[in-house]
């Protein structure tokens, strides 16, 4: 059993990354980890959200249910898993804004040796899922965080899209995800907790 403290930070407009994050939470809790599930704060104006019924619906569903991520959620954690929607081949600006607000933690070295891993989604099979994860990892390397990619550390990763950087999924306009990446999320979470446990000496 893990006694790692894990924060899961996601940004999701229409629910996909929320689902990935919930699967990560479920897996981590089953492993015994202490878990916080938080979202990057919304930056889009109300009119933009309202222009997309799926975005508005997800926004309403999570508004008072999921807490917005804070620096304290990062400082508290031994390990952090990020999950972001893809925007033009990179992480969503809401997630980038959250990262960019961590200068204070960075300056005092509080993000050094955080064990991190990332997941993403996009609408097209080759629409930038890998690039989104890599854009996250670039910032996290500046923190001195320890990036834990799944690689091909488990056979299940060959049947769940085969992205060695992190779990990623393709989602259509109706919200259907393919392939079924839940097993990949489970592997990624367990591996992140395993490495974090070794770092914090549990
Ligand atoms: C402004 C914008 C840019 C996007 N850029 C891409 C892209 O570069 N590649 C792609 O495949 N999908 C792109 N998408 C689709 C989103 O990645 C997709 O809706 C998202 O992964 C769904 O995740 P969510 O349900 O968690 O919001 C874009 C969507 C928006 C609104």
């Amino acid at each position: 059993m893990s006694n790692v403290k894990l924060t899961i930070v996601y940004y999701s407009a229409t629910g996909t990354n929320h689902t990935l994050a919930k699967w990560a939470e479920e897996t981590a809790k089953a492993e015994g980890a202490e878990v916080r599930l938080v979202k990057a704060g919304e930056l889009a104006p109300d009119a933009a959200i309202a222009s997309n019924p799926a975005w508005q619906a997800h926004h309403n569903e999570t508004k008072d249910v999921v807490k917005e991520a804070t620096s304290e959620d990062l400082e508290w954690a031994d390990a952090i898993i990020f999950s972001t929607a893809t925007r033009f081949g990179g992480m969503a600006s809401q997630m980038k804004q959250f990262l960019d607000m961590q200068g204070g933690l960075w300056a005092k070295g509080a993000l050094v040796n955080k064990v991190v891993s990332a997941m993403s989604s996009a609408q097209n099979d080759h629409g930038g899922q890998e690039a989104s994860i890599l854009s996250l990892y670039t910032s996290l390397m500046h923190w001195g965080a320890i990036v834990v990619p799944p690689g091909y550390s488990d056979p299940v990763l060959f049947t769940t899209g085969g992205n060695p950087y992190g779990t990623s999924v393709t989602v259509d306009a109706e919200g259907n995800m393919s392939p079924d990446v839940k097993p990949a999320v489970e592997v990624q979470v367990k591996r992140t907790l395993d490495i974090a446990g070794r770092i914090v000496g549990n």
Side-chain angles (χ1 to χ4, degrees), residues 10-20 52 54-55 58 83-90 120-129 132 169-173 175:
Y10 73 92
Y11 175 74
S12 183
T14 54
T16 313
N17 287 274
H18 178 243
T19 299
L20 297 178
N52 177 343
W55 191 357
H58 181 68
S83 191
T84 182
T86 294
R87 295 285 182 262
F88 305 127
S120 74
S121 71
Q123 193 172 347
N124 304 281
D125 282 344
H126 303 287
Q129 291 92 333
S132 291
V169 72
T170 302
V171 59
D172 67 18

Side-chain angles (χ1 to χ4, degrees), residues 60-71:
N60 293 348
E61 275 162 28
T62 52
K63 191 162 45 126
D64 301 321
V65 178
V66 184
K67 218 173 64 66
E68 278 191 15
T70 65
S71 297

Side-chain angles (χ1 to χ4, degrees), residues 5-71:
K5 289 186 280 185
L6 173 72
T7 290
I8 302 162
V9 187
Y10 73 92
Y11 175 74
S12 183
T14 54
T16 313
N17 287 274
H18 178 243
T19 299
L20 297 178
K22 292 291 285 180
W23 287 340
E25 178 190 40
E26 187 185 305
T27 304
K29 284 187 171 169
E31 291 293 301
E34 203 179 331
V35 187
R36 292 186 186 181
L37 174 71
V38 289
K39 65 188 179 202
E42 187 54 84
L43 297 175
D46 291 345
I49 298 171
S51 71
N52 177 343
W55 191 357
Q56 185 69 66
H58 181 68
H59 183 74
N60 293 348
E61 275 162 28
T62 52
K63 191 162 45 126
D64 301 321
V65 178
V66 184
K67 218 173 64 66
E68 278 191 15
T70 65
S71 297

